Amino acid sequence: MKDTDPYSPEFRLAVPSSGQPGATSPYPVDAVGTPHAPAPGARIVCLVPSITELLCDLGLADQLVGRTGFCIHPAAVVAAIPKVGGTKDVNIDKIRQLLPTHAIVNIDENTKPTAEALAEFVPHVVVTHPRAPRDNLALARLMGAIFCKQAEAERWCAQFERELAALEAMQPGAERTVLYCIWRDPWMTISSDTYIARMLGELGWQVPAFDDAARYPTFAWTDGLLDQIDAVLLSTEPYRFTDAHVEELASQIGKPVMLVDGEMMSWYGSRAVAGLGYLRKLRTELERGIG
């Protein structure tokens, strides 16, 4: 998880290849304001696991010429797509050999040096940065518009909106403060300025504030922190928390501790549809645990 200002001028300057940002462009614009003309025959390298899955669902698997090793969904489809490293340790030379016309990057997932290196030889670098669940609608429409899959994108958006409506139709629950843990040794959590926190916000839940201003701050277990929270959520990614960690921590802190599916909570794109349904289940389980 990259702690980067989503509107950083430095990141914007890192990817100048797709044209100059402009509010008057007739083309869809990406997260840094760069317009992208429709490209029906695009050769796409995607360095964002959740967006790789979305592109496959939009019918673009045959145009994906490269993906990261973390792009694992849908498994049967991505198995045939060449790997180009991880999200941050990207093999630039291998991407160059694939002759992509488009590279899809994300401000949280990928780094500025990667974006700069790609911009030297990839004609179009598409920068993404969903910050809240509803941003998935704009993300799907952006992908549909650039890669000429508008009808497929609208069908996906309709499915997403149905799940969102079902979540919003739930009776309001208790306001909760939950500590969402993404790492240990050192312990790390999320700030309110993250996609995950805004997913939790759909349930009326908030995360505690820390003196550390990072989007993914480190923390220590203190009585003051425990007094603030109702429960702890241990995510299955990026750290692979397990049921054993849940039992160990619950015995130490005397608070409800739950294991949560990190993909359901943090993957935008296709996984976000199931993620909205997962939120409904999560609230029921947490309230049962709190008693």
Side-chain angles (χ1 to χ4, degrees):
M1 294 184 178
K2 180 69 174 173
D3 186 18
T4 308
D5 178 354
Y7 302 109
S8 168
E10 292 183 356
F11 202 97
R12 181 176 294 115
L13 292 173
V15 285
S17 62
S18 302
Q20 295 300 316
T24 61
S25 171
Y27 301 131
V29 297
D30 66 14
V32 293
T34 302
H36 296 275
R43 292 173 57 83
I44 309 164
V45 166
C46 185
L47 303 183
V48 191
S50 54
I51 297 181
T52 294
E53 183 179 24
L54 176 62
L55 294 174
C56 291
D57 285 350
L58 295 181
L60 291 160
D62 290 344
Q63 291 177 237
L64 279 164
V65 298
R67 51 128 180 159
T68 76
F70 298 106
C71 299
I72 57 175
H73 300 298
V77 176
V78 300
I81 301 171
K83 298 178 185 178
V84 295
T87 54
K88 294 181 173 61
D89 55 339
V90 177
N91 188 326
I92 297 295
D93 289 337
K94 189 168 186 178
I95 294 177
R96 192 189 304 272
Q97 294 170 12
L98 295 171
L99 302 177
T101 61
H102 290 70
I104 300 175
V105 299
N106 177 266
I107 287 175
D108 272 346
E109 295 281 352
N110 311 120
T111 68
K112 175 187 172 184
T114 293
E116 288 177 326
L118 292 172
E120 292 179 359
F121 65 92
V122 179
H124 307 282
V125 178
V126 183
V127 183
T128 63
H129 189 56
R131 304 179 70 220
R134 287 169 181 78
D135 291 348
N136 283 288
L137 297 169
L139 174 66
R141 288 175 174 135
L142 176 67
M143 296 297 110
I146 296 174
F147 302 119
C148 303
K149 293 290 184 179
Q150 292 95 330
E152 292 83 351
E154 288 305 320
R155 285 194 289 271
W156 187 92
C157 288
Q159 183 183 10
F160 181 88
E161 287 178 321
R162 285 193 295 271
E163 286 295 327
L164 185 59
L167 178 63
E168 293 175 342
M170 293 178 67
Q171 291 295 323
E175 294 185 0
R176 300 292 186 188
T177 298
V178 296
L179 181 66
Y180 188 101
C181 299
I182 59 171
W183 204 260
R184 63 179 292 177
D185 299 327
W187 284 95
M188 295 179 67
T189 184
I190 61 171
S191 75
S192 60
D193 185 27
T194 56
Y195 180 90
I196 299 171
R198 294 183 179 98
M199 281 284 281
L200 295 170
E202 294 291 330
L203 299 176
W205 297 353
Q206 63 180 358
V207 297
F210 293 89
D211 292 336
D212 185 345
R215 295 178 68 228
Y216 303 102
T218 59
F219 70 92
W221 296 101
T222 65
D223 290 341
L225 173 61
L226 293 175
D227 288 342
Q228 293 182 53
I229 62 176
D230 297 297
V232 177
L233 307 179
L234 300 184
S235 177
T236 57
E237 67 167 42
Y239 191 91
R240 295 186 179 180
F241 284 109
T242 66
D243 289 328
H245 295 116
V246 170
E247 294 178 9
E248 176 187 1
L249 185 60
S251 67
Q252 294 173 356
I253 67 173
K255 291 279 185 176
V257 181
M258 288 180 56
L259 188 69
V260 296
D261 188 326
E263 289 184 2
M264 292 292 102
M265 298 301 299
S266 65
W267 281 40
Y268 35 82
S270 297
R271 211 114 295 233
V273 175
L276 294 174
Y278 183 78
L279 282 177
R280 302 199 303 271
K281 176 183 175 184
L282 182 63
R283 192 180 83 174
T284 299
E285 292 184 353
L286 182 64
E287 294 303 324
R288 185 184 300 123
I290 292 176

